[in-house]
């Protein structure tokens, strides 16, 4: 029998932006619990909750100071128990964010580790300065590794004269997974959550936990930012060993728990090894190859270039094919780190927003794998539209602006790139209704609501049978109803076409055709290059007409005659 997550649809909640129950301008757990019927009506099976743990919030909770407590900003453990009960009562599951590549520098493990004589010194990567360099002087970092957020990956600690490694912000020191005490402390914490009722984990940057020992320079001159070399920083030699151990020690497979590994810079073959059921590691990985197609190859996301549709199709197809026999895919176009898909890959103008959001959803949700919806995506929420640096909150965005302008980029250009790529595009408050703060909060929110909430919101979308929201509801229902959507074979059609995305899914005698016009001009249906539509039934479409022409951003799903 297929594992339960083969029919599941996941909804990601970024709690600080979802719903504020106590009018302090910040979303919280009771806010989530208040909206569970909305998620159940949509057809959601699993909620992935971004971090709510105690945290100084340097990286909005991805810097954890206490793994077994809720930050007062979000509520209490009792509130979390209530959320779990509310989800379970509606047949939904809860997946917690597990951030164990690093902790916060406020975590007591790290506080103890600061003392060189502490038994926890080795729980993190403390290293002396590069030989021949004065500790703390330019270029003295132990290796040339960079931080994912820009700048150096090492922070100098005056008190002990050594550096600690942080692949993200200085407030996010990397845990040393080579140390078995670290691993057992993490597994114990995971068991604690499972015993509390959670149904699985989304594992933050999990393929960074094994680094190649000893830590050495990457293949660029010291002082240059190292490219994240596979095997050195990413996908290190003990990854499979650590994941198998975690699975066994926490009982992930035994208890049929959900485990999705967020993995940067992983390829299809590696992903298959991580998610092969026989390996007992992860149920699926969450990867980014398709999210990097609108940046210059080998460069940072700020080196923007337009998406070329055939490349997106080629990448998605490689993952569909590569994880067909063994392994399992995650399907997503949005999370809390990337821009809104309708602004990025669709057309968020009033004329095309609804159709393009629906058609992007269609081509994604009918692939094979587990679809993820990021809060507000089901409304066709758009990028933030910020125009000044003060409007941004995100640590990565602010760091980029600072470093880029220091390096001579003019402010206009930096702001233009932020408007395209900042993580805050995804983090503006959820738009519930047309009221002044979008029904998110009775106070001024921590990040501004998008002015377009007056027409893009849950209340309006619920009332409109042609809304993006109702289209998502239908896509989810198709997955629940049709085995061909869950398990069918994927075949891409028209690979070189620059605006049409078309494919079939086949299982036994059942066959679906998905065809979408991902462009702003009307397109003829190339009937000669598609399977015959004679006797086909239209299961779902974005437009009323059943003509041999696709309108701008129109998509259709047909059940084909055998
Ligand atoms: O956000 C990114 C680039 O804009 C990614 O490189 C991101 O840092 C990477 O996908 C890892 O993300 C995860 O870990 C980070 C955290 O900031 C992200 O929010 C989280 O999703 C560090 O914990
Ligand atoms: Ca609140």
């Amino acid at each position: 029998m297929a594992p339960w997550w083969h029919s599941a649809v996941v909804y990601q909640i970024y709690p600080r932006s979802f719903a504020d129950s106590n009018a302090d301008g910040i979303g919280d757990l009771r806010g989530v619990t208040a909206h569970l019927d909305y998620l159940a009506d949509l057809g959601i099976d699993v909620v992935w909750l971004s971090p709510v743990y105690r945290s100084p919030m340097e990286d909005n909770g991805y810097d954890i100071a206490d793994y077994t407590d809720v930050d007062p900003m979000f509520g209490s453990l009792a509130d979390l128990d209530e959320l779990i009960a509310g989800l379970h009562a509606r047949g939904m599951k809860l997946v917690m964010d597990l951030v164990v590549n690093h902790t916060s520098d406020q975590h007591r493990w790290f506080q103890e580790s600061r003392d060189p004589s502490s038994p926890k010194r080795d729980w993190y990567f403390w290293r002396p300065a590069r030989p021949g360099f004065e500790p703390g002087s330019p270029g003295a970092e132990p290796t040339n590794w960079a931080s994912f957020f820009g700048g150096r990956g090492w922070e100098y600690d005056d008190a002990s004269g050594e550096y600690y490694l942080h692949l993200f912000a200085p407030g996010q020191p990397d845990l040393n997974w080579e140390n078995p005490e670290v691993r057992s402390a993490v597994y114990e914490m995971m068991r604690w959550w499972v015993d509390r009722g959670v149904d699985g984990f989304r594992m933050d940057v999990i393929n960074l936990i094994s680094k190649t020992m000893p830590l050495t320079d990457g293949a660029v001159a010291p002082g240059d930012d190292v490219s994240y070399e596979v095997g050195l920083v990413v996908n290190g030699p003990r990854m499979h060993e650590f994941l198998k151990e975690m699975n066994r020690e926490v009982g992930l497979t035994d208890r049929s728990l959900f485990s999705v590994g967020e993995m940067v810079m992983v390829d299809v073959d590696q992903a298959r090894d991580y998610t092969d059921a026989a390996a007992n590691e992860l149920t699926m990985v969450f990867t980014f190859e398709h999210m990097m197609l609108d940046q210059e190859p080998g460069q940072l996301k700020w080196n923007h270039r337009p998406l070329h549709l055939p490349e997106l199709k080629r990448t998605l197809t490689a993952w569909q094919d590569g994880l067909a026999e063994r392994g399992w895919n995650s399907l997503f176009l949005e999370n809390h780190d990337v821009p809104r898909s309708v602004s990025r890959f669709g057309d968020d103008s009033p004329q095309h927003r609804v159709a393009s959001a629906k058609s992007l959803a269609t081509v994604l949700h009918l692939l094979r794998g587990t679809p993820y919806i990021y809060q507000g995506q089901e409304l066709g929420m758009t990028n933030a539209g910020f125009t000044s640096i003060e409007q941004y909150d995100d640590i990565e965005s602010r760091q980029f602006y600072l470093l880029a302008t220091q390096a001579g980029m003019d402010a206009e250009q930096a702001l233009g790139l932020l408007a395209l790529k900042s993580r805050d595009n995804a983090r503006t408050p959820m738009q519930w209704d047309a009221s002044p703060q979008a029904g998110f909060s009775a106070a001024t929110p921590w990040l501004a609501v998008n002015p377009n909430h007056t027409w893009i919101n849950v209340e309006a979308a619920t009332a409109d049978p042609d809304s993006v929201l109702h289209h998502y509801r239908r896509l989810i229902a198709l997955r629940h109803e049709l085995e061909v959507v869950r398990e069918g074979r994927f075949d891409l059609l028209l690979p070189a076409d620059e605006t049409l995305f078309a494919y079939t899914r086949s299982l036994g005698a059942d066959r679906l055709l998905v065809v979408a016009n991902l462009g702003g001009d009307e397109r003829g249906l190339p009937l000669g290059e598609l399977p015959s539509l004679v006797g086909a039934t239209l299961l779902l479409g974005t437009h009323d007409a059943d003509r041999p022409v696709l309108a701008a951003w129109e998509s259709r799903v047909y059940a084909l005659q055998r």
Side-chain angles (χ1 to χ4, degrees):
M1 220 187 77
W4 66 263
W5 53 84
H6 280 207
S7 61
V9 176
V10 180
Y11 190 91
Q12 183 193 351
I13 291 182
Y14 194 66
R16 77 166 41 225
S17 303
F18 192 65
D20 173 19
S21 71
N22 63 345
D24 64 356
I26 301 169
D28 46 56
L29 288 171
R30 302 186 78 148
V32 177
T33 303
H35 290 288
L36 295 184
D37 286 335
Y38 170 71
L39 301 179
D41 287 348
L42 184 54
I44 297 305
D45 303 286
V46 175
V47 167
W48 150 24
L49 187 65
S50 277
V52 292
Y53 312 94
R54 204 175 268 278
S55 164
M57 304 289 168
E58 248 193 80
D59 189 17
N60 289 1
Y62 283 89
D63 47 326
I64 297 174
D66 185 345
Y67 286 111
T68 53
D69 200 5
V70 167
D71 196 278
M73 174 186 282
F74 294 126
S76 63
L77 278 171
D79 294 333
L80 190 59
D81 290 340
E82 231 176 279
L83 170 60
I84 295 173
L87 285 164
H88 288 173
R90 290 166 180 80
M92 294 185 280
K93 296 181 188 279
L94 181 67
V95 163
M96 293 292 275
D97 220 307
L98 179 82
V99 188
V100 290
N101 173 68
H102 43 269
T103 67
S104 162
D105 63 354
Q106 303 303 306
H107 196 290
R108 76 185 155 75
W109 296 344
F110 186 74
Q111 294 294 329
E112 285 177 46
S113 173
R114 282 185 169 277
D115 173 0
S117 65
S118 154
K120 289 213 168 55
R121 184 67 169 179
D122 183 51
W123 281 40
Y124 294 84
F125 295 104
W126 289 98
R127 293 290 184 276
R130 184 180 292 277
F133 283 77
E134 183 63 28
S137 70
E141 290 83 9
T143 72
N144 62 356
W145 297 8
S147 153
F148 276 79
F149 290 156
R152 301 270 150 250
W154 294 94
E155 188 74 3
Y156 181 58
D157 176 52
D158 237 347
S160 65
E162 288 193 329
Y163 293 79
Y164 66 86
L165 177 69
H166 61 89
L167 291 178
F168 293 89
Q172 293 168 301
D174 282 51
L175 277 168
N176 176 15
W177 276 69
E178 300 295 318
N179 185 327
E181 290 173 16
V182 168
R183 304 204 298 276
S184 57
V186 169
Y187 307 151
E188 189 189 322
M189 173 272 281
M190 291 172 74
R191 286 191 296 264
W192 187 89
W193 281 107
V194 173
D195 291 344
R196 216 172 175 100
V198 315
D199 304 289
F201 301 95
R202 174 270 184 185
M203 303 175 184
D204 192 69
V205 288
I206 200 69
N207 64 328
L208 301 183
I209 59 176
S210 166
K211 284 110 174 147
T212 296
M213 307 302 290
L215 306 182
T216 51
D217 280 341
V220 293
D224 278 356
D225 285 353
V226 69
S227 55
Y228 288 95
E229 289 177 44
V230 174
L232 183 70
V233 183
V234 182
N235 298 316
R238 300 182 73 185
M239 274 311 304
H240 293 291
E241 176 196 339
F242 291 165
L243 290 177
K244 282 186 201 325
E245 181 183 79
M246 174 194 282
N247 189 309
R248 195 176 58 238
E249 294 294 316
V250 182
L252 296 177
T253 301
D254 293 346
R255 297 158 102 161
S256 211
L257 295 166
F258 188 97
S259 59
V260 53
E262 188 209 26
M263 295 205 177
V264 290
M265 282 165 272
V266 74
D267 65 27
V268 180
D269 293 334
Q270 291 163 335
R272 190 189 309 115
D273 291 343
Y274 286 124
T275 61
D276 185 347
N280 288 314
E281 295 182 17
L282 300 172
T283 55
M284 65 193 89
V285 294
F286 194 95
T287 68
F288 295 92
E289 199 175 313
H290 66 302
M291 288 284 110
M292 297 168 74
L293 300 173
D294 60 352
Q295 71 199 49
E296 295 297 340
Q299 294 187 36
L300 300 176
K301 71 180 196 179
W302 309 109
N303 297 92
H304 180 72
R305 67 164 191 195
L307 176 77
H308 186 51
L309 186 66
E311 264 194 80
L312 178 65
K313 296 192 289 187
R314 191 183 327 129
T315 301
L316 292 174
T317 300
W319 284 83
Q320 288 288 298
D321 292 348
L323 274 61
E325 301 302 323
R326 291 188 290 126
W328 190 250
N329 272 298
S330 300
L331 309 170
F332 76 95
L333 290 177
E334 290 188 22
N335 71 3
H336 63 292
D337 293 332
V338 301
R340 291 292 185 176
S341 57
V342 69
S343 301
R344 186 180 188 184
F345 303 126
D347 180 339
D348 63 9
S349 70
Q351 195 191 356
H352 293 308
R353 185 188 64 86
V354 169
S356 68
K358 288 180 183 176
S359 290
L360 288 169
T362 301
V363 296
L364 188 79
H365 275 247
L366 297 177
L367 296 173
R368 184 152 184 250
T370 298
Y372 288 68
I373 299 169
Y374 175 70
Q375 65 184 43
Q377 184 177 4
E378 77 281 14
L379 305 174
M381 274 180 63
T382 68
N383 278 351
F386 293 157
T387 51
S388 91
I389 189 62
E390 286 73 35
Q391 290 172 293
Y392 289 94
D393 172 89
D394 173 36
I395 184 168
E396 183 197 48
S397 300
R398 289 178 161 264
Q399 175 83 352
F400 163 73
Y401 184 85
L402 184 77
L403 294 178
T405 50
Q406 273 173 2
M409 185 183 285
D410 62 58
E412 288 306 301
Q413 193 187 348
L415 288 170
L417 290 170
L418 285 176
L420 279 177
K421 292 281 177 73
S422 168
R423 307 198 294 183
D424 279 344
N425 284 310
R427 300 178 181 184
T428 62
M430 177 73 177
Q431 297 170 194
W432 296 100
D433 61 34
S435 67
Q437 301 302 350
F440 164 74
S441 174
T444 303
W446 69 277
L447 193 68
V449 298
N450 194 311
N452 65 22
H453 74 274
T454 54
W455 70 94
I456 304 173
N457 62 62
V458 169
E459 197 175 71
T462 305
D464 172 7
D466 294 326
S467 65
V468 180
L469 177 67
H470 287 296
H471 191 80
Y472 268 92
R473 198 190 308 281
R474 292 179 197 117
L475 285 168
I476 295 169
L478 279 182
R479 173 167 301 270
H480 290 157
E481 284 158 20
L482 302 180
E483 198 184 358
V484 64
V485 173
R486 301 191 295 270
E487 307 292 346
R489 176 195 158 84
F490 167 90
D491 287 286
L492 183 71
L493 304 169
L494 313 172
D497 197 292
E498 305 211 345
T499 49
L500 296 187
F501 196 156
Y503 59 85
T504 56
R505 301 286 312 282
S506 322
L507 186 73
D510 293 331
R511 203 154 172 233
L512 298 183
L513 170 68
V514 177
V515 55
N517 178 9
L518 301 185
D521 298 316
E522 191 170 273
R523 274 292 306 270
L525 265 178
L527 290 169
E529 294 165 78
L530 297 174
S532 166
L533 291 176
V534 176
T537 324
L538 185 68
L539 292 182
L540 182 62
T542 51
H543 294 62
D544 285 334
D546 195 4
R547 3 172 243 152
V549 165
L550 292 173
W553 296 103
E554 177 173 1
S555 58
R556 299 180 194 172
V557 182
Y558 291 102
L560 299 178
Q561 184 84 311
R562 38 173 115 173

PDB file of all heavy atoms in Angstrom, residues 544-557:
ATOM      1  N   ASP A 544     -14.228  29.269 -19.352  1.00  0.00           N
ATOM      2  CA  ASP A 544     -15.426  28.523 -19.709  1.00  0.00           C
ATOM      3  C   ASP A 544     -15.288  27.800 -21.040  1.00  0.00           C
ATOM      4  O   ASP A 544     -15.689  26.670 -21.201  1.00  0.00           O
ATOM      5  CB  ASP A 544     -16.637  29.471 -19.801  1.00  0.00           C
ATOM      6  CG  ASP A 544     -17.104  29.875 -18.414  1.00  0.00           C
ATOM      7  OD1 ASP A 544     -16.847  29.085 -17.477  1.00  0.00           O
ATOM      8  OD2 ASP A 544     -17.694  30.956 -18.278  1.00  0.00           O
ATOM      9  N   ALA A 545     -14.690  28.511 -21.996  1.00  0.00           N
ATOM     10  CA  ALA A 545     -14.726  28.042 -23.373  1.00  0.00           C
ATOM     11  C   ALA A 545     -14.014  26.706 -23.553  1.00  0.00           C
ATOM     12  O   ALA A 545     -12.977  26.458 -22.957  1.00  0.00           O
ATOM     13  CB  ALA A 545     -14.093  29.085 -24.264  1.00  0.00           C
ATOM     14  N   ASP A 546     -14.570  25.866 -24.404  1.00  0.00           N
ATOM     15  CA  ASP A 546     -13.891  24.636 -24.783  1.00  0.00           C
ATOM     16  C   ASP A 546     -13.604  24.753 -26.278  1.00  0.00           C
ATOM     17  O   ASP A 546     -14.210  24.100 -27.102  1.00  0.00           O
ATOM     18  CB  ASP A 546     -14.781  23.428 -24.464  1.00  0.00           C
ATOM     19  CG  ASP A 546     -13.980  22.131 -24.497  1.00  0.00           C
ATOM     20  OD1 ASP A 546     -12.753  22.189 -24.679  1.00  0.00           O
ATOM     21  OD2 ASP A 546     -14.599  21.068 -24.362  1.00  0.00           O
ATOM     22  N   ARG A 547     -12.659  25.630 -26.603  1.00  0.00           N
ATOM     23  CA  ARG A 547     -12.351  25.883 -28.014  1.00  0.00           C
ATOM     24  C   ARG A 547     -10.932  25.424 -28.308  1.00  0.00           C
ATOM     25  O   ARG A 547     -10.154  25.181 -27.385  1.00  0.00           O
ATOM     26  CB  ARG A 547     -12.489  27.365 -28.377  1.00  0.00           C
ATOM     27  CG  ARG A 547     -12.840  28.279 -27.212  1.00  0.00           C
ATOM     28  CD  ARG A 547     -12.767  29.727 -27.585  1.00  0.00           C
ATOM     29  NE  ARG A 547     -11.737  30.398 -26.792  1.00  0.00           N
ATOM     30  CZ  ARG A 547     -11.065  31.461 -27.189  1.00  0.00           C
ATOM     31  NH1 ARG A 547     -11.254  31.954 -28.398  1.00  0.00           N
ATOM     32  NH2 ARG A 547     -10.171  32.015 -26.399  1.00  0.00           N
ATOM     33  N   PRO A 548     -10.550  25.339 -29.577  1.00  0.00           N
ATOM     34  CA  PRO A 548      -9.215  24.825 -29.913  1.00  0.00           C
ATOM     35  C   PRO A 548      -8.123  25.866 -29.709  1.00  0.00           C
ATOM     36  O   PRO A 548      -7.042  25.752 -30.257  1.00  0.00           O
ATOM     37  CB  PRO A 548      -9.342  24.452 -31.396  1.00  0.00           C
ATOM     38  CG  PRO A 548     -10.409  25.344 -31.906  1.00  0.00           C
ATOM     39  CD  PRO A 548     -11.357  25.619 -30.782  1.00  0.00           C
ATOM     40  N   VAL A 549      -8.402  26.866 -28.931  1.00  0.00           N
ATOM     41  CA  VAL A 549      -7.465  27.951 -28.657  1.00  0.00           C
ATOM     42  C   VAL A 549      -7.409  28.151 -27.152  1.00  0.00           C
ATOM     43  O   VAL A 549      -8.427  28.047 -26.476  1.00  0.00           O
ATOM     44  CB  VAL A 549      -7.959  29.252 -29.351  1.00  0.00           C
ATOM     45  CG1 VAL A 549      -7.250  30.460 -28.803  1.00  0.00           C
ATOM     46  CG2 VAL A 549      -7.793  29.146 -30.862  1.00  0.00           C
ATOM     47  N   LEU A 550      -6.208  28.398 -26.627  1.00  0.00           N
ATOM     48  CA  LEU A 550      -6.095  28.704 -25.204  1.00  0.00           C
ATOM     49  C   LEU A 550      -5.966  30.210 -25.038  1.00  0.00           C
ATOM     50  O   LEU A 550      -5.093  30.837 -25.660  1.00  0.00           O
ATOM     51  CB  LEU A 550      -4.864  28.032 -24.600  1.00  0.00           C
ATOM     52  CG  LEU A 550      -4.885  26.503 -24.495  1.00  0.00           C
ATOM     53  CD1 LEU A 550      -3.514  25.998 -24.043  1.00  0.00           C
ATOM     54  CD2 LEU A 550      -5.971  26.038 -23.532  1.00  0.00           C
ATOM     55  N   ALA A 551      -6.795  30.788 -24.184  1.00  0.00           N
ATOM     56  CA  ALA A 551      -6.670  32.210 -23.867  1.00  0.00           C
ATOM     57  C   ALA A 551      -5.364  32.435 -23.097  1.00  0.00           C
ATOM     58  O   ALA A 551      -4.717  31.480 -22.652  1.00  0.00           O
ATOM     59  CB  ALA A 551      -7.862  32.646 -23.027  1.00  0.00           C
ATOM     60  N   ALA A 552      -4.971  33.698 -22.952  1.00  0.00           N
ATOM     61  CA  ALA A 552      -3.803  34.016 -22.120  1.00  0.00           C
ATOM     62  C   ALA A 552      -3.960  33.346 -20.759  1.00  0.00           C
ATOM     63  O   ALA A 552      -5.016  33.440 -20.138  1.00  0.00           O
ATOM     64  CB  ALA A 552      -3.699  35.530 -21.950  1.00  0.00           C
ATOM     65  N   TRP A 553      -2.936  32.605 -20.330  1.00  0.00           N
ATOM     66  CA  TRP A 553      -2.889  31.960 -19.010  1.00  0.00           C
ATOM     67  C   TRP A 553      -4.011  30.949 -18.773  1.00  0.00           C
ATOM     68  O   TRP A 553      -4.303  30.599 -17.638  1.00  0.00           O
ATOM     69  CB  TRP A 553      -2.894  33.014 -17.882  1.00  0.00           C
ATOM     70  CG  TRP A 553      -1.678  33.880 -17.913  1.00  0.00           C
ATOM     71  CD1 TRP A 553      -1.589  35.153 -18.367  1.00  0.00           C
ATOM     72  CD2 TRP A 553      -0.346  33.515 -17.501  1.00  0.00           C
ATOM     73  NE1 TRP A 553      -0.290  35.619 -18.255  1.00  0.00           N
ATOM     74  CE2 TRP A 553       0.489  34.625 -17.722  1.00  0.00           C
ATOM     75  CE3 TRP A 553       0.210  32.350 -16.954  1.00  0.00           C
ATOM     76  CZ2 TRP A 553       1.851  34.622 -17.437  1.00  0.00           C
ATOM     77  CZ3 TRP A 553       1.565  32.348 -16.663  1.00  0.00           C
ATOM     78  CH2 TRP A 553       2.368  33.472 -16.905  1.00  0.00           C
ATOM     79  N   GLU A 554      -4.613  30.446 -19.846  1.00  0.00           N
ATOM     80  CA  GLU A 554      -5.643  29.415 -19.657  1.00  0.00           C
ATOM     81  C   GLU A 554      -5.003  28.047 -19.446  1.00  0.00           C
ATOM     82  O   GLU A 554      -3.982  27.724 -20.064  1.00  0.00           O
ATOM     83  CB  GLU A 554      -6.554  29.346 -20.897  1.00  0.00           C
ATOM     84  CG  GLU A 554      -7.597  28.227 -20.777  1.00  0.00           C
ATOM     85  CD  GLU A 554      -8.633  28.204 -21.891  1.00  0.00           C
ATOM     86  OE1 GLU A 554      -8.552  29.057 -22.808  1.00  0.00           O
ATOM     87  OE2 GLU A 554      -9.525  27.333 -21.828  1.00  0.00           O
ATOM     88  N   SER A 555      -5.607  27.240 -18.602  1.00  0.00           N
ATOM     89  CA  SER A 555      -5.170  25.841 -18.488  1.00  0.00           C
ATOM     90  C   SER A 555      -6.378  24.918 -18.422  1.00  0.00           C
ATOM     91  O   SER A 555      -7.474  25.331 -18.031  1.00  0.00           O
ATOM     92  CB  SER A 555      -4.288  25.644 -17.253  1.00  0.00           C
ATOM     93  OG  SER A 555      -4.976  26.016 -16.090  1.00  0.00           O
ATOM     94  N   ARG A 556      -6.145  23.686 -18.838  1.00  0.00           N
ATOM     95  CA  ARG A 556      -7.217  22.672 -18.836  1.00  0.00           C
ATOM     96  C   ARG A 556      -6.661  21.333 -18.383  1.00  0.00           C
ATOM     97  O   ARG A 556      -5.505  21.011 -18.662  1.00  0.00           O
ATOM     98  CB  ARG A 556      -7.793  22.484 -20.240  1.00  0.00           C
ATOM     99  CG  ARG A 556      -8.414  23.735 -20.798  1.00  0.00           C
ATOM    100  CD  ARG A 556      -8.958  23.481 -22.181  1.00  0.00           C
ATOM    101  NE  ARG A 556      -9.260  24.750 -22.834  1.00  0.00           N
ATOM    102  CZ  ARG A 556      -9.605  24.862 -24.106  1.00  0.00           C
ATOM    103  NH1 ARG A 556      -9.686  23.777 -24.873  1.00  0.00           N
ATOM    104  NH2 ARG A 556      -9.866  26.044 -24.611  1.00  0.00           N
ATOM    105  N   VAL A 557      -7.525  20.571 -17.755  1.00  0.00           N
ATOM    106  CA  VAL A 557      -7.183  19.201 -17.367  1.00  0.00           C
ATOM    107  C   VAL A 557      -8.250  18.291 -17.958  1.00  0.00           C
ATOM    108  O   VAL A 557      -9.437  18.439 -17.654  1.00  0.00           O
ATOM    109  CB  VAL A 557      -7.173  19.046 -15.829  1.00  0.00           C
ATOM    110  CG1 VAL A 557      -6.761  17.632 -15.448  1.00  0.00           C
ATOM    111  CG2 VAL A 557      -6.258  20.083 -15.189  1.00  0.00           C
TER     112      VAL A 557
END
